[in-house]
Amino acid sequence: MSTNNSKPDLTQRPPRSPRVRLGGYVLLPRILDKGRAALNNKLGLYVFAGQGMDRHFFNFVGLDHEALKQELAKGEGDWEILAWVQTNAKHQRQPWEIAAWSEYHLRRTPDSDAETLMDFAAEVKHFHPMREDINTWFDLLDLDDYCSFGGKA
C-alpha cells in the first residue's frame, strides 16, 4: 500500500512516531505530518497548534507553528523544511544540544507531582489497566496512536 507523505491523512493513519528524528530532532517529523494534514483538512483528532508535546520543539528552536505551517504550504519535503528550520530558528542549536534535547524527550517521564502522575496513570489505564510498561510520554503517544487506529493495548 502506497502512502502519500506529502499530504498525510491523519483520519486514516497516525502521524510518525515522536521518536522518529529529522536533523537530530525528535518530534519534528510528527509535527510536519500534523502540519501538512492540517493544511489539507485531514488532521482528524490530532492538533497542530504549537501546544502539547509540540510546544517543546517550538520553544527549543524558537519558532512559531504558524510560520512553519506557511512554509509547509509551499509543498517542500522534509529536508527542505529542516533547512528552513535551521535557518529561521531564533535559538541556533549545536548538534550536541539537539542530541541532548532529543535524548531527554525520549526518556521524559511525567513530572513527579501527584496530579500529573495520576493523570498519566489514568491515561494508561484507559488503554489497559495492567500496562506497566508505559513509562514515558512517547510511550503513551505511541500507544495512543496504535489504539486510535484499531490496535489492541
Side-chain angles (χ1 to χ4, degrees):
M1 179 174 153
S2 177
T3 301
N4 184 351
N5 290 322
S6 65
K7 293 184 179 182
D9 182 349
L10 302 186
T11 68
Q12 299 298 312
R13 67 168 180 88
R16 285 176 274 185
S17 169
R19 300 171 201 281
V20 176
R21 296 179 191 224
L22 177 61
Y25 296 102
V26 295
L27 290 170
L28 181 55
R30 182 181 185 87
I31 291 168
L32 299 183
D33 287 353
K34 294 193 309 181
R36 289 177 176 127
L39 287 165
N40 293 297
N41 296 315
K42 298 289 186 178
L43 198 51
L45 297 176
Y46 293 94
V47 176
F48 182 79
Q51 302 170 349
M53 280 299 235
D54 297 356
R55 79 181 187 282
H56 298 293
F57 171 78
F58 289 110
N59 291 338
F60 182 67
V61 297
L63 284 173
D64 177 71
H65 76 282
E66 285 298 329
L68 177 60
K69 189 175 181 182
Q70 290 174 3
E71 194 63 23
L72 288 168
K74 295 177 183 178
E76 300 198 27
D78 286 359
W79 197 250
E80 291 81 11
I81 297 297
L82 174 62
W84 179 87
V85 166
Q86 292 169 329
T87 300
N88 292 281
K90 290 179 187 161
H91 311 302
Q92 294 294 315
R93 303 296 186 173
Q94 296 297 314
W96 69 266
E97 292 175 293
I98 296 167
W101 178 84
S102 289
E103 288 300 318
Y104 168 75
H105 282 285
L106 280 170
R107 292 168 176 67
R108 187 167 172 257
T109 59
D111 295 337
S112 60
D113 64 281
E115 182 180 359
T116 302
L117 288 171
M118 288 174 52
D119 289 347
F120 186 88
E123 285 293 319
V124 173
K125 187 177 181 180
H126 165 78
F127 294 107
H128 195 284
M130 302 304 290
R131 291 294 298 260
E132 294 180 0
D133 58 330
I134 306 301
N135 299 305
T136 69
W137 289 107
F138 284 9
D139 291 342
L140 184 58
L141 281 175
D142 282 340
L143 180 63
D144 184 32
D145 287 347
Y146 177 71
C147 292
S148 292
F149 290 91
K152 302 291 182 197

